[in-house]
Amino acid sequence: PLDEWAEALRWRYTSWAGILGAMRIRDAATLKGLSGDEREVQLGNVQKRLIALATSGRISKREYDHFVRRLQGQ
C-alpha cells in the first residue's frame, strides 16, 4: 500500500486533468541547442520519472521533496 502523499500523487496524475496538466509541449526552437538532459527536463520527462518512482513506492516523501526542490533550482 502507498503512503497517503503518494496515493494523492497517483490519483492526481492518472486523472485526465492531471495528465493534461502534466503535459509540456515545446516548439523545436525552444529545444534547439539544449543538451539531452536539458531537453528531458523541458519536456517533463524527468518529472514523469520522479512521479513514477513516488507512485510505485520506490522513493520516500523526503526523497521526492528533495528531487522536486532540485528540479526547481533550489
Side-chain angles (χ1 to χ4, degrees), residues 10-66:
R10 187 193 65 73
W11 183 85
R12 179 177 178 189
Y13 288 103
T14 57
S15 70
W16 281 110
I19 291 168
L20 292 174
M23 290 178 69
R24 290 183 168 198
I25 299 174
R26 300 283 191 247
D27 60 55
T30 301
L31 299 175
K32 188 174 183 168
L34 297 179
S35 71
D37 290 341
E38 291 170 322
R39 274 193 301 277
E40 287 293 297
V41 172
Q42 286 297 315
L43 292 171
N45 294 332
V46 174
Q47 295 87 333
K48 290 174 196 170
R49 290 182 194 147
L50 183 57
I51 291 164
L53 288 170
T55 58
S56 65
R58 294 190 307 245
I59 61 173
S60 68
K61 173 88 166 105
R62 184 172 158 242
E63 292 169 313
Y64 176 82
D65 290 341
H66 171 76

